[in-house]
Structures are given as structure tokens and as C-alpha cells.
Amino acid sequence: MRLIKKKVNVLEEISKKHINSNGSIDNSNTIEVKDLKKHFIGKKSFNDVKAVDGISFHVKKGEIFGLLGPNGAGKTTTINMLCGLLKPTEGTAIVGSYDVRKNLNKVKELISVCPQEAAVFPFLTGRENIEYFGNMHLMSKEKIKERAEKLLKLLGLLEASKRKAKHYSGGMKRQLNLLVALINEPKILFLDEPTVGMDPRVRRKTWEFISSIKKQNRTIILTTHYIEEAEALCDRVAIIDYGKLVALGPPKELMAEHKAKNLEEVFLKITGRRILEGI
């Protein structure tokens, strides 16, 4: 444990250097997180929860960055702070050169979120769902139609888009959820477990689609419990547990460092005690 803590401290120090001493931001990075904390205070002190406990990392422009950890590790809490849904207890979160505490409206103009639960309207068709969210972003009718057509074709949902979403399978709803998040062409996309409920074939197709988004120079932050998904898609991953950063780097480098045959083995070595205890 001492070795892991020492290494993580070094990783955090490296990440901190990406926020310059004069407060300016390194333009090669899209997201900067420094000493970020979120503590929930219970009615009694033993009910206090340190959901995120002083993590630091940066996300480079145009990369797919994985945020991994067991249930309750602090992944979704971190994303919610970066999106402005939760106010940090302490620390700094810079998204697209804007501080989420001071310029949240500017941050919202740059981002889009694909949440864990499918946020689609069951009594609207697939196409109507996409168009509805396009209107919410004040896009022109022509632009909405153009984008919807393109996105539906890319995921092979053009024919299914004529049906109401309530008739979609769980995997199709997740795919539609992803298209809804992309209608406004966000520069930064947060994907919170985007392939839950998908069969292996649809999941692989969605992986290809996510990779194609990266090629458009968009930055993607991905959380997933499918560790092979992170290994296949992510340029770098951060593994957090108990709200703390325990590993950071490209999957292949982490695998080599921990003498593991895959990223899942690295994950189990680092967070294994928590899983075995069933916490």
C-alpha cells in the first residue's frame, strides 16, 4: 500500500504541473483536475462520506480517457462535478479552459453527457427523440435533420428510428441515448457506462462508433465496468478507489508495470481487496 500511495503522489504532482504557476492552462489539455474533493456530510459524523478525496489528473485534447473503479469509488461523482451537477467541496476543475465553479454556463456550451440511465422519451420515436434534444440546443431544423440522419446511419438505426423508443431493446435505448448526446456536436463528451445492457455484437459496433467520434478531434471521458472496453478504447485510464487515485496511465504501460496480461488483471490487483470484501 505504501508503494501505491507513493506512486500516486508522484502521478498527482505530474498532473498538477499542467496548471501553470501563473494560473494559465496548458492548451493541449481539455480538462484539468487538481486536488478535487467531494464530501457528503451525514447527520452523524460516522455517516460522513468522502466520495472523492483529493484527486488530480488532466485529459488531453482529442483523447479517450477512462475513469475506472469499483462501485462507489467516486467515478460518477467526479463526472457530476466536471459537468456542474455537483459543487466540489474543495479543489479545482477546469473544463475547456473554464472553471466549473465560475463559468458553468460556458462549460455547458462545450459538453454533452450520456448518463448511466437512458434519458429518452418512450412515447417518441427514435428520430423524434434526437430532434427534440436538437431543438433544446436551439439548432436549426436543417442542421437537426442533417445531424440526425448522419448519426442514425452510423449506428444502423435509420429504420428503427421510425418506431417509438418504448419498443426498443435495452441496448438500442443505450445507442439512442448516445446519439442524443451527440446531436449538438459537443467538443467534450462524457460517457457514463454507455454500453450497459448491450449484447456483444452491438457493444462492439458501439465501440467502433465511439472510436470514430475521437477521430473528429472530440475529447471523451468514459466510465465503464467492462474493463476490456477501456483497454480497447482508451488512450489513458485513471483508476480510483475509495475516492482516491490509485493508478494513471496508458493501458499498455499499466499492464507492463504490473506484469499483467490485460487491464482487468491490473484492475483486480489494485482494487482486489475491496472486491473480495464485497464493499
Side-chain angles (χ1 to χ4, degrees):
M1 286 298 293
R2 287 183 179 178
L3 182 61
I4 290 175
K5 286 181 179 180
K6 183 177 180 180
K7 181 194 165 188
V8 170
N9 288 336
V10 172
L11 291 172
E12 290 181 343
E13 286 303 317
I14 292 172
S15 288
K16 290 174 188 178
K17 290 178 183 178
H18 289 273
I19 298 181
N20 300 325
S21 58
N22 62 2
S24 63
I25 305 302
D26 183 341
N27 290 329
S28 65
N29 299 322
T30 300
I31 293 175
E32 299 281 355
V33 172
K34 181 180 179 182
D35 298 328
L36 194 63
K37 296 181 181 181
K38 182 60 184 179
H39 298 173
F40 296 97
I41 308 302
K43 291 183 178 180
K44 296 183 179 180
S45 59
F46 58 79
N47 288 327
D48 294 352
V49 176
K50 295 181 178 180
V52 177
D53 196 20
I55 63 174
S56 299
F57 62 85
H58 68 278
V59 180
K60 299 175 183 177
K61 184 177 181 181
E63 79 172 335
I64 301 180
F65 185 86
L67 200 56
L68 309 179
N71 286 330
K75 304 183 301 296
T76 298
T77 301
T78 299
I79 284 184
N80 286 342
M81 285 191 284
L82 295 177
C83 295
L85 296 176
L86 282 176
K87 186 177 180 181
T89 303
E90 292 181 31
T92 304
I94 305 293
V95 177
S97 78
Y98 297 107
D99 190 318
V100 295
R101 291 174 181 264
K102 302 174 183 177
N103 299 103
L104 185 54
N105 287 337
K106 291 289 186 182
V107 170
K108 288 181 177 180
E109 291 176 5
L110 301 173
I111 70 172
S112 193
V113 183
C114 182
Q116 286 183 15
E117 299 296 327
V120 297
F121 296 102
F123 293 100
L124 294 180
T125 67
R127 184 180 290 274
E128 286 169 345
N129 266 284
I130 295 173
E131 291 175 346
Y132 174 83
F133 283 94
N135 284 316
M136 291 286 286
H137 287 289
L138 303 179
M139 297 169 62
S140 69
K141 289 183 179 180
E142 293 78 14
K143 187 65 175 177
I144 291 172
K145 184 177 179 180
E146 176 190 331
R147 283 287 295 162
E149 194 78 8
K150 182 178 179 180
L151 290 169
L152 289 165
K153 282 181 179 178
L154 285 171
L155 267 184
L157 292 178
L158 201 55
E159 187 61 33
S161 69
K162 301 172 185 177
R163 304 201 311 266
K164 290 184 178 180
K166 68 176 182 177
H167 298 304
Y168 283 15
S169 66
M172 289 175 67
K173 287 178 182 176
R174 298 295 303 178
Q175 286 185 307
L176 180 59
N177 206 40
L178 179 55
L179 298 188
V180 163
L182 284 166
I183 186 61
N184 64 323
E185 300 183 279
K187 287 182 169 55
I188 302 167
L189 180 63
F190 292 91
L191 302 180
D192 198 357
E193 299 187 40
T195 62
V196 171
M198 292 183 181
D199 64 47
R201 179 186 59 81
V202 175
R203 180 178 296 127
R204 290 282 175 174
K205 187 170 185 178
T206 305
W207 288 6
E208 293 173 5
F209 180 69
I210 291 172
S211 293
S212 73
I213 299 170
K214 178 195 170 183
K215 292 177 182 177
Q216 300 168 15
N217 203 31
R218 303 189 196 285
T219 303
I220 301 171
I221 294 83
L222 171 74
T223 71
T224 179
H225 282 297
Y226 299 118
I227 308 302
E228 76 277 13
E229 181 168 280
E231 184 178 335
L233 292 175
C234 296
D235 299 292
R236 291 185 303 129
V237 298
I239 301 177
I240 59 176
D241 201 13
Y242 294 106
K244 292 184 177 293
L245 186 71
V246 295
L248 175 66
K252 287 185 178 179
E253 288 186 12
L254 293 178
M255 288 155 56
E257 178 185 337
H258 291 274
K259 298 179 175 58
K261 61 184 177 182
N262 53 46
L263 187 60
E264 183 173 8
E265 192 174 310
V266 174
F267 183 88
L268 291 172
K269 283 184 176 182
I270 294 174
T271 64
R273 183 173 65 84
R274 183 185 181 105
I275 293 173
L276 290 172
E277 291 174 355
I279 297 174

Coordinates of all heavy atoms in Angstrom, one line a residue, residues 51 67-77 116 192-193 223-227 238-247 266-279:
A51 N -16.6 10.9 -0.9 CA -16.8 10.3 -2.2 C -15.6 10.5 -3.2 O -15.2 9.5 -3.9 CB -18.1 10.8 -2.8
L67 N -12.2 6.4 -16.9 CA -12.3 6.6 -15.4 C -12.8 5.3 -14.8 O -14.0 5.0 -15.0 CB -13.2 7.8 -15.1 CG -13.0 8.5 -13.7 CD1 -11.6 8.9 -13.5 CD2 -14.0 9.7 -13.6
L68 N -12.0 4.5 -14.2 CA -12.4 3.2 -13.7 C -12.3 3.1 -12.2 O -11.6 3.8 -11.6 CB -11.4 2.2 -14.3 CG -11.2 2.2 -15.8 CD1 -10.2 1.1 -16.2 CD2 -12.5 2.0 -16.6
G69 N -13.1 2.2 -11.7 CA -13.1 1.9 -10.3 C -14.3 1.1 -9.9 O -15.3 0.9 -10.7
P70 N -14.2 0.4 -8.7 CA -15.4 -0.4 -8.2 C -16.6 0.5 -8.0 O -16.5 1.7 -8.0 CB -14.8 -1.0 -6.9 CG -13.4 -0.8 -7.0 CD -13.1 0.4 -7.8
N71 N -17.7 -0.2 -7.8 CA -18.9 0.6 -7.4 C -18.6 1.4 -6.2 O -18.0 1.0 -5.2 CB -20.1 -0.4 -7.1 CG -20.7 -1.0 -8.3 OD1 -20.6 -0.4 -9.4 ND2 -21.2 -2.2 -8.2
G72 N -19.1 2.7 -6.2 CA -18.9 3.6 -5.1 C -17.5 4.2 -5.0 O -17.2 4.8 -4.0
A73 N -16.7 4.0 -6.0 CA -15.3 4.5 -5.9 C -15.2 6.0 -6.1 O -14.3 6.7 -5.7 CB -14.4 3.8 -7.0
G74 N -16.2 6.6 -6.7 CA -16.2 8.1 -6.9 C -16.2 8.5 -8.4 O -16.1 9.7 -8.7
K75 N -16.4 7.5 -9.3 CA -16.4 7.9 -10.7 C -17.5 8.8 -11.2 O -17.2 9.9 -11.7 CB -16.5 6.6 -11.6 CG -15.5 5.5 -11.3 CD -15.6 4.3 -12.2 CE -17.0 3.6 -12.1 NZ -17.3 3.0 -10.7
T76 N -18.7 8.4 -10.9 CA -19.9 9.3 -11.3 C -19.9 10.6 -10.5 O -20.2 11.6 -11.1 CB -21.2 8.5 -11.0 OG1 -21.2 7.3 -11.8 CG2 -22.4 9.4 -11.4
T77 N -19.5 10.6 -9.3 CA -19.4 11.9 -8.5 C -18.4 12.8 -9.2 O -18.6 14.0 -9.3 CB -18.9 11.6 -7.1 OG1 -19.9 10.7 -6.4 CG2 -18.9 12.9 -6.3
Q116 N -25.8 7.2 -17.1 CA -26.0 5.7 -16.9 C -27.4 5.2 -17.3 O -27.5 4.2 -18.0 CB -25.8 5.4 -15.4 CG -24.3 5.5 -14.9 CD -24.2 5.1 -13.5 OE1 -25.1 4.5 -12.9 NE2 -23.0 5.4 -12.9
D192 N -21.1 7.8 -19.4 CA -21.1 7.1 -18.1 C -21.7 5.7 -18.3 O -22.9 5.5 -18.4 CB -21.9 7.9 -17.1 CG -21.7 7.5 -15.7 OD1 -20.9 6.5 -15.5 OD2 -22.3 8.1 -14.8
E193 N -20.9 4.7 -18.5 CA -21.3 3.3 -18.7 C -22.2 3.2 -19.9 O -23.3 2.8 -19.8 CB -21.9 2.7 -17.5 CG -20.9 2.7 -16.3 CD -21.5 1.9 -15.1 OE1 -22.1 0.9 -15.3 OE2 -21.3 2.4 -14.0
T223 N -16.6 6.2 -18.4 CA -16.6 5.3 -17.3 C -17.2 4.0 -17.7 O -18.2 4.0 -18.4 CB -17.4 5.9 -16.1 OG1 -18.8 5.9 -16.3 CG2 -16.9 7.3 -15.8
T224 N -16.7 2.9 -17.2 CA -17.3 1.6 -17.6 C -16.8 0.5 -16.6 O -15.8 0.6 -16.0 CB -16.8 1.2 -19.0 OG1 -17.3 -0.1 -19.3 CG2 -15.3 1.1 -19.1
H225 N -17.7 -0.5 -16.4 CA -17.3 -1.7 -15.6 C -16.8 -2.8 -16.5 O -16.3 -3.8 -16.0 CB -18.5 -2.2 -14.8 CG -18.7 -1.3 -13.6 ND1 -17.8 -1.2 -12.5 CD2 -19.8 -0.6 -13.2 CE1 -18.3 -0.4 -11.6 NE2 -19.5 0.0 -12.0
Y226 N -16.9 -2.6 -17.8 CA -16.3 -3.5 -18.8 C -14.8 -3.1 -19.0 O -14.5 -2.3 -19.8 CB -17.0 -3.5 -20.1 CG -18.5 -3.9 -20.0 CD1 -19.5 -3.0 -20.3 CD2 -18.9 -5.2 -19.5 CE1 -20.8 -3.3 -20.2 CE2 -20.2 -5.5 -19.4 CZ -21.2 -4.6 -19.8 OH -22.5 -4.9 -19.7
I227 N -13.9 -3.7 -18.2 CA -12.5 -3.3 -18.3 C -11.9 -3.5 -19.7 O -11.1 -2.8 -20.1 CB -11.7 -4.0 -17.2 CG1 -12.4 -3.9 -15.8 CG2 -10.3 -3.5 -17.2 CD1 -12.6 -2.4 -15.4
A238 N -7.6 6.3 -15.6 CA -7.3 6.6 -14.2 C -8.2 5.6 -13.4 O -9.4 5.5 -13.7 CB -7.7 8.0 -13.9
I239 N -7.5 4.9 -12.5 CA -8.3 4.0 -11.6 C -8.4 4.6 -10.3 O -7.4 5.0 -9.7 CB -7.6 2.6 -11.5 CG1 -7.4 2.0 -13.0 CG2 -8.3 1.7 -10.6 CD1 -6.7 0.7 -13.0
I240 N -9.6 4.8 -9.8 CA -9.8 5.4 -8.5 C -10.5 4.4 -7.5 O -11.3 3.5 -8.0 CB -10.6 6.7 -8.5 CG1 -12.0 6.5 -9.2 CG2 -9.8 7.7 -9.3 CD1 -12.8 7.7 -9.2
D241 N -10.2 4.5 -6.3 CA -10.9 3.6 -5.3 C -10.9 4.4 -4.0 O -10.0 5.1 -3.6 CB -10.0 2.3 -5.1 CG -10.9 1.2 -4.5 OD1 -12.1 1.3 -4.4 OD2 -10.3 0.2 -4.1
Y242 N -12.0 4.2 -3.2 CA -12.2 5.0 -2.0 C -12.0 6.5 -2.2 O -11.6 7.2 -1.4 CB -11.3 4.5 -0.9 CG -11.5 3.1 -0.4 CD1 -10.7 2.1 -0.8 CD2 -12.6 2.8 0.4 CE1 -10.9 0.8 -0.3 CE2 -12.8 1.5 0.8 CZ -12.0 0.5 0.5 OH -12.2 -0.8 0.9
G243 N -12.4 6.9 -3.5 CA -12.3 8.4 -3.8 C -10.9 8.9 -4.1 O -10.7 10.1 -4.2
K244 N -9.9 7.9 -4.1 CA -8.5 8.3 -4.4 C -8.0 7.7 -5.6 O -8.4 6.6 -6.0 CB -7.6 7.9 -3.2 CG -7.9 8.7 -1.9 CD -6.9 8.3 -0.8 CE -7.1 9.1 0.5 NZ -6.8 10.5 0.3
L245 N -7.0 8.4 -6.3 CA -6.4 7.9 -7.5 C -5.4 6.9 -7.1 O -4.5 7.1 -6.3 CB -5.7 9.1 -8.2 CG -5.1 8.8 -9.6 CD1 -6.2 8.6 -10.6 CD2 -4.2 10.0 -10.0
V246 N -5.5 5.7 -7.7 CA -4.5 4.6 -7.4 C -3.7 4.2 -8.6 O -2.7 3.5 -8.4 CB -5.3 3.4 -6.8 CG1 -5.9 3.7 -5.5 CG2 -6.3 2.8 -7.8
A247 N -4.1 4.6 -9.8 CA -3.2 4.3 -11.0 C -3.6 5.3 -12.1 O -4.8 5.7 -12.2 CB -3.4 2.9 -11.4
V266 N -4.8 -5.9 -14.0 CA -4.3 -4.7 -13.3 C -5.3 -4.2 -12.3 O -5.0 -3.9 -11.1 CB -3.9 -3.6 -14.3 CG1 -3.5 -2.3 -13.5 CG2 -2.8 -4.0 -15.2
F267 N -6.5 -4.0 -12.8 CA -7.6 -3.5 -12.0 C -7.8 -4.4 -10.8 O -8.0 -3.9 -9.7 CB -8.9 -3.5 -12.9 CG -10.1 -2.9 -12.2 CD1 -10.4 -1.6 -12.2 CD2 -11.0 -3.8 -11.5 CE1 -11.5 -1.0 -11.6 CE2 -12.1 -3.2 -10.9 CZ -12.4 -1.9 -10.9
L268 N -7.8 -5.7 -10.9 CA -8.1 -6.6 -9.8 C -6.9 -6.6 -8.8 O -7.1 -6.7 -7.6 CB -8.3 -8.0 -10.3 CG -9.6 -8.3 -11.1 CD1 -9.6 -9.7 -11.7 CD2 -10.8 -8.1 -10.2
K269 N -5.7 -6.4 -9.3 CA -4.5 -6.3 -8.4 C -4.6 -5.0 -7.5 O -4.3 -5.1 -6.4 CB -3.2 -6.3 -9.2 CG -2.8 -7.6 -9.7 CD -1.5 -7.5 -10.4 CE -1.0 -8.9 -10.9 NZ 0.4 -8.8 -11.5
I270 N -5.1 -4.0 -8.1 CA -5.1 -2.7 -7.4 C -6.3 -2.5 -6.5 O -6.2 -2.0 -5.4 CB -5.0 -1.5 -8.5 CG1 -3.7 -1.5 -9.2 CG2 -5.2 -0.2 -7.8 CD1 -3.6 -0.5 -10.3
T271 N -7.4 -3.0 -7.0 CA -8.6 -2.8 -6.2 C -9.2 -4.1 -5.6 O -10.3 -4.2 -5.2 CB -9.7 -2.2 -7.0 OG1 -10.1 -3.1 -8.1 CG2 -9.3 -0.9 -7.6
G272 N -8.4 -5.2 -5.7 CA -8.8 -6.5 -5.3 C -9.4 -6.7 -3.9 O -10.4 -7.4 -3.7
R273 N -8.7 -6.0 -3.0 CA -9.2 -6.1 -1.5 C -10.6 -5.7 -1.4 O -11.4 -6.3 -0.7 CB -8.3 -5.3 -0.6 CG -8.6 -5.5 0.8 CD -7.5 -4.8 1.7 NE -7.6 -3.3 1.5 CZ -8.4 -2.5 2.1 NH1 -9.3 -3.0 3.0 NH2 -8.3 -1.2 1.9
R274 N -10.9 -4.6 -2.1 CA -12.3 -4.0 -1.9 C -13.3 -5.0 -2.5 O -14.4 -5.2 -2.0 CB -12.4 -2.7 -2.7 CG -13.7 -2.0 -2.6 CD -13.7 -0.7 -3.4 NE -15.0 -0.1 -3.3 CZ -15.2 1.0 -2.6 NH1 -14.3 1.6 -1.9 NH2 -16.5 1.5 -2.5
I275 N -13.0 -5.6 -3.7 CA -13.9 -6.5 -4.3 C -14.1 -7.8 -3.5 O -15.2 -8.3 -3.2 CB -13.4 -6.9 -5.7 CG1 -13.4 -5.7 -6.6 CG2 -14.2 -8.0 -6.3 CD1 -12.8 -5.9 -8.0
L276 N -13.0 -8.3 -2.9 CA -13.1 -9.5 -2.1 C -13.9 -9.3 -0.8 O -14.6 -10.2 -0.4 CB -11.7 -10.0 -1.7 CG -10.8 -10.6 -2.9 CD1 -9.4 -10.8 -2.5 CD2 -11.4 -11.9 -3.4
E277 N -13.8 -8.1 -0.3 CA -14.6 -7.8 0.9 C -16.0 -7.5 0.6 O -16.9 -7.5 1.5 CB -14.0 -6.6 1.6 CG -12.6 -6.9 2.2 CD -12.0 -5.6 2.8 OE1 -12.6 -4.5 2.7 OE2 -10.9 -5.7 3.4
G278 N -16.4 -7.4 -0.7 CA -17.8 -7.1 -1.0 C -18.3 -5.8 -0.6 O -19.5 -5.6 -0.4
I279 N -17.4 -4.8 -0.5 CA -17.8 -3.4 -0.1 C -18.4 -2.7 -1.3 O -17.9 -2.7 -2.3 CB -16.5 -2.7 0.4 CG1 -16.0 -3.4 1.6 CG2 -16.9 -1.2 0.8 CD1 -14.7 -2.8 2.1

